[in-house]
Amino acid sequence: MSATAHRLPDLGADPVVTTALAADLDAAGFTVEGVDALWGAEAAASLHRGSRVAALRALAARETTPLGTLATLFVLGLPTSRADAAAAFPSAGLDAVVAAGLLRVSDGAVAADDAGVVDVVDAAVVHPAVDLRPYAFVDDLGAGSWWIVSDLGELALGHAISEEHVLGIGGATTTLSGLQVPVPVRRVLDLGTGCGIQAMHARRFAEHVVATDISRRALDIARFNAQLNGIDGIDFRFGSLFEPVEGEQFDRIVSNPPFVITPRREGVPSYEYRDGGMVGDALVETVLRGLADHLHPGGTAQLLGNWEYHWGVDGLDRVRSWFADTDLDAWVIERERQDPTSYAETWIRDGGTKPGTPEFDTLMGAWLDDFADRRVTGVGFGYVVVRRPLPGGPSALRRFERVPETLGSNPAGLGATVARVLDAATWLAAHDDVALAAAHLRVAGDVTEERYYWPGNDDPTVMTLVQGGGFGRRVDADTALAAFVGACDGDLSVAAIVGALAQITGVDEQVLAADLLPAARDLVLDGLLLPA
C-alpha cells in the first residue's frame, strides 16, 4: 500500500469520550514509567531504533493487562483481540473509542487447515488508527505528564507515511519546549502547531494561546490532545504562517516551522509537517522577517530552523542579513551543519523511503540536483531567539554563533538560560565601560575551574572556566582572567578588582582593564558572571 493510499482517520473530540478515555488511561497506569517497566530499558532502546521484537517478547512473558493492551495498540502499533481492547476501556467503552477515530475493528482473520477447510481464527481484531502515548516533562512549574495523539509512524504502518502525516513527539519537540522562556505572559502564538504540544507547553505560562496550522488534520489532533489532557485557553486557527493572526501581536511566539528544505519538483513528496512549500530556506526567512509585526514591545520569540550555505556565502551571514533592516534583538545558535548528501539522506529516510531502493535513489538525485542548481554547499540547523525592544530601548543583542551539539545537549531548562541571556543583554546595554567598572559581579553557582599542569610544574599550563548548566560553555582563561573571576564575589567593584590585580602583577591598570572588561561582558552574557 502506498503512502497516499493510507486513509487517515477522522478524529472526534467529544468531551464525554475524552474525559472517560483519560480516566481509562490513568487507571491503567499508561505513563512513561509504566510503559518502560513493561519491557525494560533494553527493549525500549531497541524500540527507539525501530525494532519491536524485544518489546513483544517481554510482553509475551506477562499476563495480559489493560496497560499491556494499550502499549501494544498505541506504542507498538499492533492489533489485539476485541475482548482485550474492551477490557482496556471500561469507562469510555470500546465502541466510543472506535467512533472517536482512535481504533478500527476488522472483520477478523481467516485460515485454512490441511484439508482446505476455512475457519475464522478471530471474529474481530482491533487495530490502532493513531499513535497515542504518554509523555513526561519537567519545566519551571515542576514535573508534568500528558497523553499525546499523532499519526501512526512507518513502523506501525509498514510503509512510508502519508504526506498529511501529523508528527508526534520527537527530538525537535523537546528542544523547542525546553527553549520556551518560562516567564508568565498574557498571549502566546504557536505558529505551525502540529499535534499541539508546543501550544500545550506555552499554556502553562500564558493566559491565552493561539495555535495555527495549514493542516486541518493537525488542528483536529491538536484540539483533541488539549481536550484529552484537560487544557483550555487555546484558540486553534487554520491558515498559513501569520495569515490567521493578521494585525495581532503577542507577548511570545514559538514555532517549529516546516523548515525542511525539499526540492520543489514533480515526484518529490511534500510532507505537511515538515515542508513549507517554498524554495530552499525561504520559509524560515519569511517567518523571521514577520516576527517584528507580531511581537508586542518587549515580546520574545523562540524558534527552530534550517538555513543554507551557498558558494562563498556563510549560512549565519545569510541569517544575519534577514535581521539587517529590523531593530530586533537576535540570537542565532547553530548546533549542527550537514553537507547536502547527508541532509538529503536524513530527510528521505524520515519520510519512510528506505536506502537501496529505486525510490530512494530517485529522490537522492532530485535533492542533489536542487542543491547543485542553487549552489548550496551545506545546511545549518539551530535555534533562533528574538526580542522586540521596548520603545526607546536600543537593540541590545545581535549574536550569531556556532555551539557544538555536544555542549548543552540537554534542552530541558534552556528556556531559563534564554531568559537570563536576554536580561543580561539588557543590563549590558545599559552599562558602558564606566558603569561596568563600577558594578559588582559574582560568579554563578554552576561555574567551576579546570587546571592542567605539566608534571613537576607549579604553574598551570591551561585554565578553563566551565559552566555546569545552560549551554555548558567552556572559556579558556589566562592568569589575569582566572584571578579576576575568582575575585568576583559581589563585594568589590570590577574597577577595584582590576586595580588590585594590576598592583599585584605590575601590569598597567588601563591596559589590564582594556583586556578584562570585554571578557567580563562576554562572561556576563554567557551567565558565568552575574550582576550582584
Side-chain angles (χ1 to χ4, degrees):
M1 179 164 51
S2 68
T4 54
H6 171 62
R7 181 181 178 277
L8 296 171
D10 296 327
L11 211 59
D14 182 341
V16 175
V17 174
T18 53
T19 299
L21 174 60
D24 288 336
L25 299 176
D26 185 55
F30 193 51
T31 64
V32 172
E33 296 82 0
V35 171
D36 285 348
L38 277 175
W39 40 60
E42 290 185 9
S46 179
L47 185 61
H48 184 71
R49 294 189 296 268
S51 173
R52 295 178 288 202
V53 175
L56 283 170
R57 289 170 68 91
L59 283 179
R62 290 175 171 266
E63 181 181 352
T64 300
T65 64
L67 175 59
T69 298
L70 292 171
T72 299
L73 285 166
F74 295 123
V75 179
L76 301 183
L78 295 171
T80 66
S81 70
R82 184 183 182 97
D84 288 343
F89 302 102
S91 298
L94 178 58
D95 291 342
V97 177
V98 171
L102 302 178
L103 299 171
R104 62 181 179 85
V105 181
S106 68
D107 295 333
V110 297
D113 60 19
D114 293 338
V117 177
V118 175
D119 190 19
V120 176
V121 177
D122 194 335
V125 178
V126 177
H127 302 262
V130 295
D131 185 292
L132 167 60
R133 62 184 64 205
Y135 166 69
F137 61 90
V138 178
D139 61 21
D140 276 37
L141 295 180
S145 61
W146 294 323
W147 299 290
I148 301 298
V149 169
S150 60
D151 278 323
L152 291 170
E154 176 192 354
L155 182 63
L157 293 172
H159 55 75
I161 59 177
S162 164
E163 293 182 27
E164 295 79 34
H165 181 86
V166 176
L167 194 66
I169 305 297
T173 302
T174 55
T175 295
L176 183 57
S177 64
L179 277 176
Q180 289 197 34
V181 174
V183 176
V185 293
R186 193 172 68 86
R187 299 188 78 214
V188 173
L189 169 63
D190 176 17
L191 190 72
T193 192
C195 70
I197 188 67
Q198 301 303 334
M200 292 164 65
H201 274 291
R203 179 66 176 88
R204 287 171 64 83
F205 296 93
E207 297 176 16
H208 184 260
V209 176
V210 176
T212 69
D213 207 289
I214 198 170
S215 165
R216 294 191 183 278
R217 173 162 182 77
L219 292 174
D220 288 343
I221 287 181
R223 190 178 295 109
F224 187 98
N225 283 329
Q227 191 163 293
L228 177 63
N229 292 283
I231 299 173
D232 60 6
I234 303 178
D235 178 12
F236 297 98
R237 302 184 191 178
F238 173 77
S240 177
L241 299 180
F242 293 106
E243 290 175 2
V245 293
E246 184 177 357
E248 298 182 51
Q249 291 185 326
F250 299 85
D251 304 299
R252 183 173 303 138
I253 297 174
V254 297
S255 182
N256 179 14
F259 56 68
V260 175
I261 297 166
T262 303
R264 308 262 71 87
R265 303 188 180 199
E266 185 177 354
V268 178
S270 178
Y271 297 99
E272 286 183 337
Y273 74 90
R274 73 179 205 192
D275 300 316
M278 298 184 184
V279 175
D281 53 17
L283 183 131
V284 175
E285 178 182 358
T286 301
V287 171
L288 296 184
R289 289 184 181 275
L291 293 175
D293 293 333
H294 295 281
L295 282 174
H296 281 302
T300 66
Q302 296 91 56
L303 309 94
L304 305 182
N306 274 180
W307 38 85
E308 294 179 337
Y309 286 71
H310 294 171
W311 288 2
V313 182
D314 185 274
L316 286 182
D317 285 342
R318 297 186 66 252
V319 181
R320 183 183 287 107
S321 71
W322 300 341
F323 292 100
D325 57 353
T326 76
D327 64 348
L328 296 174
D329 293 335
W331 179 22
V332 180
I333 307 136
E334 183 174 279
R335 302 304 309 278
E336 182 182 3
R337 178 182 175 184
Q338 285 188 309
D339 60 75
T341 301
S342 298
Y343 188 86
E345 290 172 351
T346 295
W347 292 108
I348 295 171
R349 287 196 304 266
D350 177 79
T353 304
K354 298 183 181 300
T357 63
E359 294 80 7
F360 188 92
D361 293 345
T362 298
L363 291 177
M364 275 294 295
W367 238 282
L368 295 181
D369 285 344
D370 175 64
F371 283 141
D373 292 345
R374 295 187 299 104
R375 299 189 171 189
V376 176
T377 60
V379 179
F381 166 80
Y383 319 148
V384 181
V385 176
V386 170
R387 177 173 58 183
R388 183 180 175 191
L390 292 170
S395 179
L397 182 64
R398 284 293 172 96
R399 197 177 200 190
F400 301 83
E401 62 176 333
R402 294 177 177 86
V403 179
E405 191 174 10
T406 54
L407 300 183
S409 57
N410 180 11
L414 285 183
T417 299
V418 169
R420 183 196 47 69
V421 169
L422 292 175
D423 289 343
T426 301
W427 187 86
L428 288 167
H431 287 69
D432 59 16
D433 283 351
V434 174
L436 178 60
H440 292 240
L441 303 177
R442 63 180 177 85
V443 182
D446 63 343
V447 175
T448 57
E449 182 183 296
E450 294 178 355
R451 295 192 174 203
Y452 297 88
Y453 298 80
W454 289 116
N457 282 12
D458 293 332
D459 297 324
T461 56
V462 177
M463 290 180 288
T464 305
L465 302 173
V466 180
Q467 184 181 46
F471 284 100
R473 307 274 187 177
R474 298 177 63 88
V475 180
D476 290 337
D478 58 18
T479 302
L481 182 58
F484 172 80
V485 172
C488 287
D489 58 4
D491 290 338
L492 297 176
S493 68
V494 169
I497 296 173
V498 172
L501 290 175
Q503 195 171 33
I504 293 171
T505 61
V507 177
D508 181 84
E509 185 173 341
Q510 290 186 340
V511 172
L512 187 60
D515 287 338
L516 290 179
L517 288 182
R521 286 187 177 277
D522 289 341
L523 292 174
V524 170
L525 188 60
D526 287 335
L528 283 78
L529 290 178
L530 307 174

